[in-house]
Amino acid sequence: MTVRRDFQEPPRCRPDLVIGREDLFTSAREQLGRGGSVLLHGPAGIGKSTILRALAADYGGSARTVLRCSATESESHLPFLALADLFGLVLDEVSEQLPSAQRTALESALTGRGESTLQRDGLALRLAVLSALRALAAEGPVLVVADDLQWLDAASAELLGFAARRLGDTPVQMLCAVRTEGQEYDRHLRASPPDTLAVRLGPLTRTQVSALLDHRGYTPLSRSTIRDIHRTSGGNPLFALELGRALAESPTRPRPGEPLPVPTSLRALVLSRLEMLSDEARRTLLVASAGARPTLALLHAAGREQAEAETAQAAALGLLATDAEGPAVRFAHPLISAALYAEAPAQERRAVHAALSTAASDPIERARHLALATTGTDPEVAARLAEAGALALDRGAPSVAASLGLLAARHTPADSTPGPDERRLQAAEDAITAGEADLARDIARDVLTRATVPAERVRAWMVVIEAAGQALGEVDAVFPQVLADAGDDPGLLALVHYQLAWRGLVVEGDFAEARQEAEHAAELAARGGDRRTELMALSFQASTETLMGHPGAPATVKRALREPQDPYVACHHNGAGSARFRWLIMSDRLPEARAVITALLREVRRRGMVESEVHFLRFLADTELRTGHCGRALDLARESLRLARDAGIGEGASAMLASLAEASAGDVDRALALAREAADHAEVDGDQMYLSRALAALGYAQLVAGDPGAAVRSLRRVRELEHGLGINDPARGRWHGDLAEALVRIGEPGEAQDVIDTTRAHALRLGRESVLAVLDRAEALVRAARGEHEAALVRLASVRDRLGRLGYGLEEARAAFALARLRAQVAALPRTGGTPLPGPASYDEAARLFRRCRALPWLRQVDAAVAAGSTPVEPASVAPPVALDALEGLASMERQVASLVMEGATNREIAARLFISVKTVEATLTRVYRKLGIRSRVDIVRLAAGRRTT
């Protein structure tokens, strides 16, 4: 076995592999495990060598012989150097097994006299390489590991390709990596064994870049900084790490609106080609690098008269990407633009921004360039920047508004009205709206170091508290300070008591205290003339009363919805619209709840309110889950979780809902992991309210996974938590039926009946029809456990119909499944006479309903029950869910559209629910038909029913 020193990877580098490359690594390893070969390809710095080394270390132990080579550009002109790397240490082992002519040819090549030999008898050398590999393989599997194929000397590359194409069934595998741009790997693939899997390494997502930087210790970096690193690096891990290192080592961070500093290590990669540009072309590219959306027209307006010729010169050098579909001037990689800008002198950069401040057509971009072209304070520039920030906020770009606000503050004279700190606080509040809590916190704490005006101090403290999110326990020490700053001003005190209401709920877990604080905050805000805070407090009071089962909830919801309204509060995730949604969904008014939350989601997306979008995606997923649109719910829940993790807000709550959706329509193991993650988040944050929700999700997932004992343990704890919190409305968590069912399964029907009786009293008082139906389903299982089969069957049939009428599709399917199981059990009992029990023993109806819901985990339970042989069943009812399997091969939007068609939605209804146009729905359906091999909506409906299409 040959082992080169440059392949001995430092252990600390290995964990980088799993960040964003898990699926890729798994598929490559499975390919090697099947006896195939792998070709990794992608641009420089994308992580090919890291993956190659990890695969070689992970799989290399399965091979008897590992042959390695790693070429460099400086060595690529030396013939047979790679061949010497591969065979130098095994030549003695194989030479005696080679025919004389082949042995001579191979020895000649490896000792440096091979070029003339190849010219004289090239076939002998080619056959020698092939024979050597076969000889090694005769003793056991061989793995050839070759990195940087693009630098392989031509002679070695030709010989390796010759052998690779002729190895056949010989147990020789190749694991190679090559630097490519686009699809340039084809010629390398042709020189690989026929069974080679080509794996392209693409850029990392922003979340993955954040994880990579965190793993390397480049913390703390704000979300906005990570966003800039991701954009500048283009998702390239090497570039991202170098940028992160440069920022970590820099004593000062770039100001808002300024590009990141590009370290020397990266400048060298991209600036060498810039030296081939003319001075005028370089200036033109500098203008393009400073522009937000550079076009030839913009370059002309900025004074670059020869822009066409100069950009053409840059494109010929590979600095610009040609774009035949539009007028944009696009750099081949964002790093080129960043390095070019970073290399330019400050005076030259200001001149470029000055030109763009009049050339740009967008007022926001003009204001930004004006700021970057100006030094020192200037009230006129500050005013224009503030106006641009307000415009950006109105356009739904709060992150841009925050950046412009900070620029405005920098140019605001100290004695101006509004002052620089007031503008900084506006930027902080915009950052909160954009989901950039870390940036907002930093701005607010900076203001607090010098602010003396009570209103500014309280406003800054409010930002600090809001930036804490669910982790309000971490800012407990803030409340005495902010109360002191507020004095006896009712408007300022209203802000503080509103946050104390949240503290009472999240930290203390006391709904009664939270409600009283919210009510007090609304009264103070009304006295102080602060309508926005009054509405927020009323909305909080209404939501709390709804969750408590307080009789005043409907009246408080109406008060929160009275005019005059505030547009921000109306669509905020803690605003009046959200309070109305909670009341509707807990009152079993599902169609109205969906309409409300759909409209709210559309509005916050328009406004760029990231945190509210995270919450509303989760609320809509919850609504779809209740109505039995489980596939749609799963897509929404996953989207909410991705956005929450990317923004660093609401992760626990989104993980909780994603767990429920995964347990209903996806992967039960993932559901268990997500529920535990959500519980961990809540424990760390000290959030008792969401801890109970997370444990309820865990109990449900455990029940679906077939572990009723674990489900009972989790749900008993939920019962204790909610009793302590004062939550009496069973529609809030809807876990009571699951606990009763799990108790029956572990042989505790008495405790199950106690749970049912206690919960039923609250549900009857509040009129929670769906909860009552689920409790009746659980009680039917208790009766069955006690031998009251006839009564249980009648009750289950009634429950199934009631849940269907209420629109709870998944609960209806669960009732049908319980009914089928009980009928099957009863059918297996010996009968000695009496009245026949109602209904045939068949799982057809349960399977149909679960298929309609796309409830895969539940369908598997139906299949398991059928496989157990409890009852005969029609072939169609036990056939695999063809539609569900087929949909897994579709893109996300295609899958969502197809799922809604299966549920009977029209194109217009689909467009409204997915926030797309009817034309987009039609185009998406055309792609779905093609991919599924069908012709119409009717065929999709047939798939949903488990029937073949024609």
Side-chain angles (χ1 to χ4, degrees), residues 905-914 916-918 921-922 937:
T906 65
N907 286 3
R908 190 170 297 280
E909 290 169 341
I910 294 170
R913 285 167 65 176
L914 298 183
I916 57 179
S917 68
V918 174
V921 174
E922 293 167 350
R937 294 171 62 95

Side-chain angles (χ1 to χ4, degrees), residues 606-666:
R606 187 189 72 79
R607 289 173 172 267
M609 298 169 68
V610 176
E611 186 174 6
S612 293
E613 182 180 357
V614 170
H615 286 282
F616 290 156
L617 280 169
R618 191 175 75 251
F619 292 171
L620 183 54
D622 188 22
T623 308
E624 298 290 11
L625 202 58
R626 294 181 189 222
T627 53
H629 303 144
C630 299
R632 168 77 169 138
L634 182 59
D635 288 335
L636 288 165
R638 286 173 173 172
E639 185 180 354
S640 173
L641 184 58
R642 281 194 300 270
L643 186 57
R645 285 177 170 163
D646 188 38
I649 51 177
E651 293 180 70
S654 293
M656 175 274 298
L657 203 284
S659 171
L660 290 172
E662 291 284 356
S664 299

Side-chain angles (χ1 to χ4, degrees), residues 320-399:
L320 295 179
T322 55
D323 189 354
E325 297 182 0
V329 175
R330 189 163 51 87
F331 285 88
H333 192 281
L335 190 63
I336 299 173
S337 171
L340 176 64
Y341 186 91
E343 193 75 4
Q347 184 176 356
E348 192 173 345
R349 279 189 274 178
R350 284 196 296 273
V352 164
H353 286 298
L356 288 169
S357 68
T358 57
S361 58
D362 185 84
I364 293 176
E365 189 175 355
R366 286 200 302 271
R368 173 181 167 273
H369 287 301
L370 179 62
L372 295 174
T374 305
T375 58
T377 59
D378 186 319
E380 183 179 345
V381 171
R384 284 186 57 181
L385 285 164
E387 291 170 3
L391 180 58
L393 193 64
D394 186 60
R395 288 183 182 179
S399 179

Side-chain angles (χ1 to χ4, degrees), residues 57-396:
D58 197 48
Y59 184 74
S62 304
R64 177 186 177 274
T65 306
V66 179
L67 307 176
R68 303 176 185 264
C69 70
S70 181
T72 64
E73 184 175 11
S74 62
E75 300 169 343
S76 60
H77 67 285
L78 300 174
F80 304 120
L81 191 61
L83 192 68
D85 282 346
L86 289 169
F87 291 103
L89 298 182
V90 296
L91 181 61
D92 292 343
E93 183 180 342
V94 299
S95 61
E96 294 303 320
Q97 303 178 51
L98 303 180
S100 176
Q102 293 180 21
R103 181 169 62 250
T104 301
L106 185 57
E107 290 175 347
S108 177
L110 297 184
T111 56
R113 299 188 299 275
E115 188 169 9
S116 59
T117 304
L118 180 62
Q119 293 170 352
R120 184 174 63 252
D121 192 1
L123 182 58
L125 183 54
R126 293 183 180 94
L127 293 174
V129 172
L130 181 59
S131 298
L133 289 171
R134 285 174 174 163
L136 291 169
E139 301 297 324
V142 176
L143 179 65
V144 178
V145 182
D147 197 8
D148 283 321
L149 283 184
Q150 74 277 2
W151 304 132
L152 229 63
D153 62 274
S156 295
E158 198 279 333
L159 292 169
L160 204 56
F162 176 88
R165 292 189 295 270
R166 290 165 175 79
L167 286 168
D169 296 332
T170 306
V172 176
Q173 297 170 260
M174 295 183 68
L175 172 59
C176 304
V178 61
R179 181 189 300 180
T180 58
E181 298 292 341
Q183 301 298 313
E184 298 172 3
Y185 67 94
D186 283 354
R187 64 185 180 90
H188 298 286
L189 190 60
R190 288 193 295 270
S192 303
D195 60 351
T196 299
L197 172 68
V199 178
R200 177 168 178 77
L201 276 70
L204 299 179
T205 66
R206 186 164 66 190
T207 302
Q208 291 163 351
V209 165
S210 176
L212 181 63
L213 292 166
D214 184 63
H215 167 66
R216 287 298 185 92
Y218 297 144
T219 55
L221 296 173
S222 69
R223 177 174 175 256
S224 56
T225 301
I226 290 171
R227 181 188 61 212
D228 290 342
I229 290 175
H230 179 257
R231 183 181 63 246
T232 303
S233 68
N236 184 297
L238 172 65
F239 298 169
L241 286 171
E242 286 297 300
L243 289 167
R245 181 183 59 77
L247 282 170
E249 294 174 354
S250 173
T252 58
R253 297 287 165 85
R255 292 175 175 177
E258 291 182 348
L260 297 177
V262 180
T264 305
S265 58
L266 292 184
R267 292 189 196 186
L269 289 175
V270 297
L271 293 181
S272 58
R273 282 179 287 178
L274 288 172
E275 296 174 358
M276 303 174 68
L277 285 172
S278 65
D279 290 343
E280 290 301 312
R282 184 166 180 149
R283 291 192 187 95
T284 295
L285 258 62
L286 178 60
V287 175
S289 73
R293 294 174 297 275
T295 62
L296 289 173
L298 178 68
L299 296 177
H300 280 298
R304 306 312 300 167
E305 298 178 356
Q306 304 300 318
E308 285 88 349
E310 289 158 357
T311 54
Q313 181 187 355
L317 292 171
L319 295 165
L320 295 179
T322 55
D323 189 354
E325 297 182 0
V329 175
R330 189 163 51 87
F331 285 88
H333 192 281
L335 190 63
I336 299 173
S337 171
L340 176 64
Y341 186 91
E343 193 75 4
Q347 184 176 356
E348 192 173 345
R349 279 189 274 178
R350 284 196 296 273
V352 164
H353 286 298
L356 288 169
S357 68
T358 57
S361 58
D362 185 84
I364 293 176
E365 189 175 355
R366 286 200 302 271
R368 173 181 167 273
H369 287 301
L370 179 62
L372 295 174
T374 305
T375 58
T377 59
D378 186 319
E380 183 179 345
V381 171
R384 284 186 57 181
L385 285 164
E387 291 170 3
L391 180 58
L393 193 64
D394 186 60
R395 288 183 182 179

